Every structure is written in C-alpha cells, then in structure tokens.
Amino acid sequence: MNTNGQLDDFVNSFLDFENQYHLFDIKINKARVWNYLRIHVYNDLLKIKGFRNGEAGEKSRTRENKKTWEFIWKKYVSCNELFAHQRDVLIISHGRKYKDGNKYYKCPYTNLLDGYLKNSHYILDKKTPDGTYEIQKSRNILYSDIEMFNKVMHVSFPEEMALRSEIDAGIIEPIETYFNQPIGLELKKKWTQCINDYINIRKEYLVYYNYMLERIKPKIILIVCAYAVDGMFLCEVAHKRQIPVVELQHGLMGDEHIAYNFKSKMRLSTFPDYIFTFGNFEKQLTRFPISKSHIIPVGYPELENKHMVYKTKKGSKKVVLFISALSSKIAEFADAVATMLDEDKYQIIVQLHPFEYSCWKETIGKYLTHPAIKVVGGYEHPVYESLAQADWVVGNYSTVLSEAQMFDVKVAVMKFEMYRSVKFLYQNGYAVLVDSPEQLVKEIEEDTFQPNRKMCLFEKNSLQKMQKAIDRIIEIERRG
C-alpha cells in the first residue's frame, strides 16, 4: 500500500514531467492533444503505481428515448439547436439529471440559474450517461445533437491516423524515461486510440461549435465540466472568437484532480478563462493555470436550495449513508459494516453514483450481500434527500462528502485509494478518517466525534453572486 507522501510526490512529479518535456506544446496532426490525453495517462499511471484500483461501475447501459409527442416536438422543433438565435449567455449543462416531483428532468448545476438569470440565454443540453435526452420544462433548452447536426449539415471528414512513431517519440518514450516505467502494448494502443479519436472528432466539433456560436453570438459561455472532450473543443472555438468561458464547479477540485492542476500559470486554448467555485477552499488548494483573480467563489445553488427543501428527516433508526463512487471497495466496506451494526438501531443505505444507476447489480451488487442494506439512486432519488435522512455519511473521494457539511450529519472518510482527494475535510475537522470497518463502527457507536461547524465550505446567496460575477465579466470583456 502506498503512503500519503508517495501519492503527493507522484502528483508533483507528474506536473514536473509534463512541464519538463513541454508536452502542452506538442502537436500531433495539427492538434495539441496533451491537455486531453493527460487525464487518461494520469489515471492509468495511478493504477500502475497502485494508488487506485480499477473502477467497478464504468459501464452504463444505453437506453432509448420514449418517443412521446412532447419529446418529438421539443427535440426536433421547439428545442432544436439548428433554430437557435442570438442570446447573451450560452450555458452548457451536465449529462447528470434528476426528476424532481414531476415528469420533467433537471440538471442540478444549471436548472436554478436558468430560472434566475436576468440575461437572455440558452442551455445547450447533453445526453444523460445512459445516452438519452430527457424532457425538461425550460423554454431555454437546446438539445445538443452533433450526430444529427452532421447529417443535416453534411459534415464529414476523412479519417486521420496519427503516426505511431510521432506518438512514441513525443509522448510514450518520455513517460517511460521519466517514470522509469515500461508501458505495455495494450496501454499504448489505448492512448493511441484516444489521440486518434480526439483528432477526428475535433474537426466535427469545431464546425459544430463555430455554427452554434455564430448563430447565438453569446457574450459569455458557462459550462459544467470543461475538461470533458467536447468542453475542450468549445473552449478552443470560443477563445478564437474572444468569448469568455466560465466553468461551473460540479465536483471535487483540490490539489490532486489533474484536470485543474498545473505546474505553472499558462494560456491553454482548451481551458476556461474563469471558474466559479463552491467556496474558498478550492481557490486555496488547487493549482489552476489561470490567474487567482479569475477563480471566483460563488457557492452552489442546487445544494443551497435542497438544504432548505429537504428538512432533516430523522427516523427511529440511525442512518449510515455510504456514497458509492464506482469502487467495489466501498461496497465491500459497507457490507462489512452492515454485519457489525445492530439492525434494530441502524439502517445502512448505499447511494449510487449516477453512472451506476443502470448497471450496479452487475458491478457492485455482488459485494452487497447483507440483506439489510438498502441501495438507492436514480433520476428520481437525488442524493440530498438521503443526506437529510442520514446521521453518518461515509465515502472515499466524492463531492457529496463536502456537500454533506450543509446537513446535520457526521462524515467519515474511508482511508484507501484516492481518499486524499478530500484531505481538506479530515485535516480541518470536517470529517473523521477511518481505515477499517471496525474503526468506523467504533466511531458510530461511541459517537464522540464533533465536526467543525465554524466555517461553511459553500458560499451563500449563490445565485445573486453568480449574476453579479457574470455581469462583471461581460462588462470587462466589453471594455476590452
């Protein structure tokens, strides 16, 4: 098992490595591929070095949309991206959706902003993790469908293949040399495929986003998860058009999330100009490549709202809520705890990650053998409802462990794999660190841990702060 210091050393060495070899300057088939590929390389090296095991829930089933008349009308007429016209703000939502008491679905990161924002705007909406477009109530929705766009606009490019020798000399060999780590054939094939996919879909997305930005002519773009490959392409097009891009924080940042950490400040065509964070911790801990003045703590509207909606609902039993994060270890940990706690006094709940909704029985289900464990999660069961019911929240490296601070709960972090991604929680008294099911049971039964409640991790009045920051950025860009 690797030590804490070793993981910190590895993260720092990775940043030193890419800086030393000038990987951000490398072009393959006229495209700078490293900012995309680095996420894959980093995660694969974490597994090779033993810091992370293979995920258990990466496979998500694809399902078909129900072809209702409302869906057909919205998808192909009223919310058709090809019919967009000029608006001040373009928002790119996240694929995660939930169903909130009616037939309509919502993106937790953009829904409330959609209703509050005074500027004219569109929300370019992505598919969910299982490949569907969910019907939403907002009239500002445009369904982002690049496959349909390519067909209608006759967008087609001949397939390109990067030279293997170019990839080996520019990327593979430097990795093997610097880390003294031979890279196997399968991993070389995987990274080569990633590069080829990037090179080919990039051409299509550049056409797509140029078309959309030409029609909408936004003064500012807000995007959830800019490090997704389509987000990188959007940033690239927006920067050429001198449109500022703001990323809305949606998950953990900190000093070990490679998508946000860099050796030094730099101008990257695929990185946003600003980031709206949940609070000040992200600004202090994360080594962003952009100026600190462009990191703006605004809060998290959905969490702020749901904290008010889901008033604490404690039952007769104490609830221990495990936050799944695509890891079989978490499921095994929960199952072990379930065998030790008195079923008459405690209820064990496992809250699924969105990518596990459709496949958890095949991935982590075999590890959840205790009959008293309740598994919840789906588009109709948001995590905030579970947080309101919980007494203890247990996880490994999920954003929910930070969000839990808004509720009347105690948080425990399981000490394995990527637990140091949330080290600011247990190092500052917001959570307790446990290294075994036995220790967790001891903490729960003795119940002596008193969490830090002195400072909130999330800014308040988030919607007002977002509106103010958006207006200020638009004005700054207007003045040039």
Side-chain angles (χ1 to χ4, degrees), residues 33 35 118 136 145 202 219 236 259 328 366 416 438:
V33 301
N35 197 35
K118 69 179 183 181
Q136 298 178 65
D145 190 340
R202 175 177 175 268
K219 298 175 181 177
E236 189 175 347
S328 59
K366 58 187 175 184
F416 56 77
E438 290 79 9

Side-chain angles (χ1 to χ4, degrees), residues 258-322:
I258 202 62
Y260 300 106
N261 284 273
F262 298 80
K263 179 69 175 178
S264 59
K265 304 299 181 188
M266 64 181 78
R267 174 71 173 176
L268 293 169
S269 63
T270 53
F271 198 88
D273 303 281
Y274 299 83
I275 297 181
F276 288 176
T277 62
F278 295 152
N280 276 298
F281 263 100
E282 292 82 7
K283 186 172 184 176
Q284 296 168 9
L285 295 174
T286 313
R287 293 164 285 188
F288 296 107
I290 58 178
S291 168
K292 278 200 171 184
S293 64
H294 285 205
I295 311 301
I296 306 172
V298 297
Y300 183 11
E302 184 71 13
L303 177 62
E304 195 172 2
N305 174 261
K306 288 297 183 280
H307 176 243
M308 299 300 297
V309 171
Y310 293 112
K311 297 297 182 182
T312 303
K313 303 174 183 178
K314 307 295 184 186
S316 58
K317 295 183 180 181
K318 286 195 172 184
V319 174
V320 181
L321 175 66
F322 282 85

Side-chain angles (χ1 to χ4, degrees), residues 15 24 29 93 103 116 127 261 274 276 339 425 432 470:
L15 299 183
F24 292 103
N29 290 39
S93 65
K103 66 179 181 178
Y116 184 87
K127 290 181 179 181
N261 284 273
Y274 299 83
F276 288 176
T339 64
L425 291 178
V432 62
I470 289 168

Side-chain angles (χ1 to χ4, degrees), residues 243-258:
I243 302 169
V245 179
V246 181
E247 178 167 1
L248 306 180
Q249 182 179 354
H250 75 287
L252 290 174
M253 289 185 171
D255 58 1
E256 290 172 5
H257 194 315
I258 202 62

Side-chain angles (χ1 to χ4, degrees), residues 332-373:
E332 291 177 296
F333 206 104
D335 198 71
V337 169
T339 64
M340 300 178 199
L341 288 176
D342 187 343
E343 292 181 36
D344 295 328
K345 296 180 181 179
Y346 299 95
Q347 180 180 15
I348 307 295
I349 297 177
V350 174
Q351 179 84 31
L352 298 175
H353 185 279
F355 287 136
E356 294 174 318
Y357 291 168
S358 62
C359 63
W360 72 270
K361 290 183 179 179
E362 293 82 3
T363 56
I364 64 171
K366 58 187 175 184
Y367 303 105
L368 299 171
T369 60
H370 197 282
I373 293 177

Side-chain angles (χ1 to χ4, degrees), residues 7-211:
L7 178 56
D8 288 341
D9 291 343
F10 174 73
V11 175
N12 291 330
S13 68
F14 187 89
L15 299 183
D16 288 336
F17 154 71
E18 60 185 6
N19 185 65
Q20 178 178 322
Y21 283 89
H22 306 288
L23 291 180
F24 292 103
D25 297 329
I26 290 178
K27 285 187 177 182
I28 296 179
N29 290 39
K30 299 180 180 180
R32 299 182 191 273
V33 301
W34 179 248
N35 197 35
Y36 168 69
L37 184 65
R38 71 193 292 260
I39 299 173
H40 296 276
V41 172
Y42 176 78
N43 288 328
D44 288 331
L45 289 178
L46 283 178
K47 295 174 186 177
I48 291 173
K49 299 291 185 181
F51 295 113
R52 175 183 290 174
N53 291 331
E55 285 77 15
E58 293 175 331
K59 299 177 181 178
S60 185
R61 293 175 183 163
T62 300
R63 59 190 178 93
E64 296 292 329
N65 276 104
K66 295 179 179 179
K67 299 297 192 295
T68 64
W69 283 111
E70 183 177 17
F71 169 79
I72 293 171
W73 173 258
K74 283 180 173 286
K75 176 71 169 60
Y76 299 105
V77 183
S78 66
C79 299
N80 190 324
E81 61 197 341
L82 300 179
F83 303 154
H85 53 268
Q86 187 170 343
R87 297 201 179 177
D88 289 342
V89 181
L90 176 61
I91 302 172
I92 314 299
S93 65
H94 197 280
R96 295 177 188 171
K97 302 291 187 295
Y98 71 93
K99 200 172 183 180
D100 191 13
N102 54 44
K103 66 179 181 178
Y104 296 106
Y105 288 77
K106 301 174 182 179
C107 167
Y109 312 107
T110 60
N111 169 64
L112 292 174
L113 183 61
D114 173 37
Y116 184 87
L117 198 61
K118 69 179 183 181
N119 313 73
S120 63
H121 61 277
Y122 278 123
I123 297 178
L124 197 57
D125 194 60
K126 297 182 178 183
K127 290 181 179 181
T128 63
D130 52 12
T132 62
Y133 293 100
E134 299 297 354
I135 297 178
Q136 298 178 65
K137 193 173 184 179
S138 173
R139 295 183 177 180
N140 298 313
I141 294 290
L142 296 173
Y143 290 110
S144 178
D145 190 340
I146 190 169
E147 292 178 4
M148 182 187 74
F149 176 85
N150 288 342
K151 290 178 182 178
V152 173
M153 306 300 288
H154 305 290
V155 177
S156 179
F157 294 95
E159 185 177 8
E160 290 185 48
M161 300 291 285
L163 290 175
R164 178 66 180 272
S165 59
E166 199 173 357
I167 296 173
D168 285 344
I171 295 175
I172 304 294
E173 290 172 10
I175 292 172
E176 292 181 320
T177 300
Y178 186 89
F179 293 102
N180 192 26
Q181 176 68 59
I183 302 301
L185 181 60
E186 289 305 312
L187 205 50
K188 287 181 181 179
K189 287 181 179 179
K190 175 187 173 183
W191 293 346
T192 300
Q193 188 62 53
C194 285
I195 291 172
N196 286 328
D197 289 344
Y198 182 90
I199 289 169
N200 286 289
I201 64 173
R202 175 177 175 268
K203 292 177 288 186
E204 297 177 355
Y205 271 101
L206 294 187
V207 173
Y208 173 71
Y209 281 129
N210 268 301
Y211 175 89

